[in-house]
Amino acid sequence: MNIFGRTKEQLAAALKEHDIPRFRADQIIRWMYRRGAVSFDVMDNLAKPLRAQLAEYFSIERPKVVSRLHSADGATLKLLYEFADGQTAETVLMRHPYGNSVCISTQAGCRMGCAFCASTLHGLQRNLTAGEIAAQVIGISDFLRTEGARVDTIVVMGSGEPLENYDNVIAALRLLHEEYTIGLGYRGVTLSTSGIVPGIERLAEEGIPISLSISLHAPTEELRSQIMPVNRMYPLADVLRAARMYAQRTKRRVTYEYILIRDLNDGVHEAEQLANLLKGQLASVNLIPINPVSERNLFRPDKAAIRRFQKILEERHITATLRREMGTDIQAACGQLRNRLMEAGL
């Protein structure tokens, strides 16, 4: 049994089946999550016979890093993790002035089919387990610990739709919140969804104060359906209703992500429509000039168009920020590195 990804309570229950005392779970779990142990042999505060017994019944299996890219400015590190069955997913460390943020994936691939995204090019392979999701952060935490640093925030914005893997995502976040892993506060977590309405409603009732970010990318039903097929299942009007409910229930501001695509959704008319759509909401807009994906034939607007779009929103009292671009020289956008390796047959 692979015990990586289990909580202390789950591990204690597994140990009990082999007549191993509950207090051993606390010792093992700290070795596993806070000291990077992948073998029982290194757990020198456990007797050798116990270590041998543990190795007979259990293993500590973590995904391996098969590709590692550093940005030229040193601010971004991108890892491609490979799991036991050969599936892969990307994780990105972003060093900001306010702390270290980790962008994690929740699925191997994605089935959402968004026109601007590389993650969906090869479709969805499978959901990641809670342990595979948590391992991405714990691996980065191990790396940062050698520098005397830590993970400060998590953005669940990598490959996959997290609300289609709801149980594993929430289990991973709860595990990462525990003091015996990295002790991350829930207010340091932002989850991004393409608009899975039942998942948003369920998250509002979960009782954990994480921030919600919704991939909007268009101000009308017609345009959003054109670039985001999920809109045909969960229309824009329903997504906005669920977002308003989330903000009211949690008292947390919702962020709407809006990828700016030249000659598609970046005009004056679209900016005015967006402002009207969000008027009066506890919300802000995060503008993201598209990171071009060669297979998609979509391009970013020029700087003047970006500034104009932002100004129109601000003039209409909509808080609008421009996302700081990081890691473009190492293909840090979701799915790009994974696709490159898949197409190379690796």
Side-chain angles (χ1 to χ4, degrees):
M1 176 192 295
N2 177 21
I3 61 172
F4 193 91
R6 291 177 179 264
T7 65
K8 184 164 61 177
E9 292 72 23
Q10 290 169 335
L11 178 58
L15 295 178
K16 185 178 180 181
E17 294 181 9
H18 301 283
D19 298 319
I20 299 172
R22 180 182 178 86
F23 77 90
R24 296 297 187 188
D26 186 65
Q27 295 174 305
I28 295 166
I29 215 115
R30 291 178 184 277
W31 274 103
M32 185 166 63
Y33 293 136
R34 298 191 71 89
R35 302 182 69 176
V38 293
S39 168
F40 298 107
D41 291 338
V42 302
M43 300 181 184
D44 54 15
N45 60 338
L46 304 182
K48 284 187 177 180
L50 176 56
R51 282 181 263 168
Q53 182 185 10
L54 290 168
E56 182 179 354
Y57 296 111
F58 306 110
S59 64
I60 303 172
E61 300 170 22
R62 297 172 63 160
K64 62 182 180 180
V65 177
V66 294
S67 184
R68 185 190 305 263
L69 298 175
H70 296 263
S71 64
D73 63 6
T76 308
L77 168 66
K78 183 164 192 174
L79 303 179
L80 184 68
Y81 281 108
E82 182 179 80
F83 305 106
D85 62 352
Q87 293 297 335
T88 57
E90 294 154 318
T91 306
V92 181
L93 165 65
M94 296 164 286
R95 302 174 191 269
H96 300 283
Y98 54 80
N100 298 304
S101 182
V102 181
C103 180
I104 59 174
S105 296
T106 57
Q107 296 178 312
C110 184
R111 76 180 189 97
M112 292 296 101
C114 299
F116 46 81
C117 185
S119 296
T120 193
L121 287 171
H122 296 281
L124 174 65
Q125 302 303 312
R126 66 171 175 84
N127 286 333
L128 300 186
T129 66
E132 290 168 339
I133 296 168
Q136 298 171 59
V137 183
I138 292 169
I140 295 288
S141 179
D142 290 344
F143 169 73
L144 288 172
R145 194 180 300 118
T146 65
E147 303 178 348
R150 56 166 291 160
V151 174
D152 297 294
T153 58
I154 295 175
V155 289
V156 190
M157 296 183 182
S159 295
E161 167 50 65
L163 295 185
E164 287 210 324
N165 188 16
Y166 187 96
D167 290 335
N168 286 326
V169 169
I170 296 301
L173 295 179
R174 291 190 180 279
L175 178 62
L176 293 168
H177 179 69
E178 296 288 352
E179 58 85 21
Y180 56 75
T181 60
I182 68 168
L184 185 77
Y186 289 126
R187 292 184 182 276
V189 178
T190 299
L191 182 146
S192 175
T193 177
S194 61
I196 308 300
V197 171
I200 296 171
E201 295 170 341
R202 188 177 174 189
L203 189 63
E205 303 297 332
E206 192 67 46
I208 54 177
I210 68 175
S211 297
L212 179 66
S213 183
I214 293 179
S215 296
L216 199 64
H217 309 317
T220 65
E221 299 282 6
E222 182 180 8
L223 181 56
R224 194 166 190 266
S225 292
Q226 179 183 335
I227 61 178
M228 297 183 69
V230 68
N231 196 67
R232 299 172 195 139
M233 181 174 292
Y234 302 112
L236 179 57
D238 292 343
V239 173
L240 292 173
R241 175 189 52 77
R244 285 193 294 270
M245 180 273 296
Y246 186 89
Q248 291 167 359
R249 191 68 51 86
T250 65
K251 304 299 187 284
R252 303 284 287 171
R253 180 182 294 272
V254 173
T255 298
Y256 291 99
E257 298 163 339
Y258 194 98
I259 286 182
L260 290 165
I261 305 170
R262 187 200 305 169
D263 299 328
L264 183 63
N265 68 350
D266 66 332
V268 170
H269 186 52
E270 286 78 20
E272 292 172 343
Q273 288 177 314
L274 181 61
N276 290 333
L277 196 67
L278 301 182
K279 184 178 180 180
Q281 284 205 43
L282 179 60
S284 59
V285 176
N286 191 8
L287 298 174
I288 311 164
I290 189 172
N291 195 339
V293 177
S294 58
E295 297 89 345
R296 296 303 195 185
N297 201 35
L298 298 173
F299 305 97
R300 70 173 56 205
D302 59 31
K303 291 181 179 179
I306 295 170
R307 285 195 297 267
R308 181 183 63 211
F309 199 99
Q310 183 177 15
K311 183 180 179 182
I312 291 170
L313 293 179
E314 291 173 341
E315 287 175 344
R316 287 157 177 77
H317 309 292
I318 303 294
T319 301
T321 58
L322 188 62
R323 179 179 292 181
R324 178 189 172 201
E325 294 185 89
M326 300 182 70
T328 53
D329 60 324
I330 58 169
Q331 296 185 312
C334 299
Q336 289 184 319
L337 178 58
R338 178 175 181 268
N339 288 336
R340 191 178 75 185
L341 266 65
M342 291 179 72
E343 289 161 5
L346 300 178

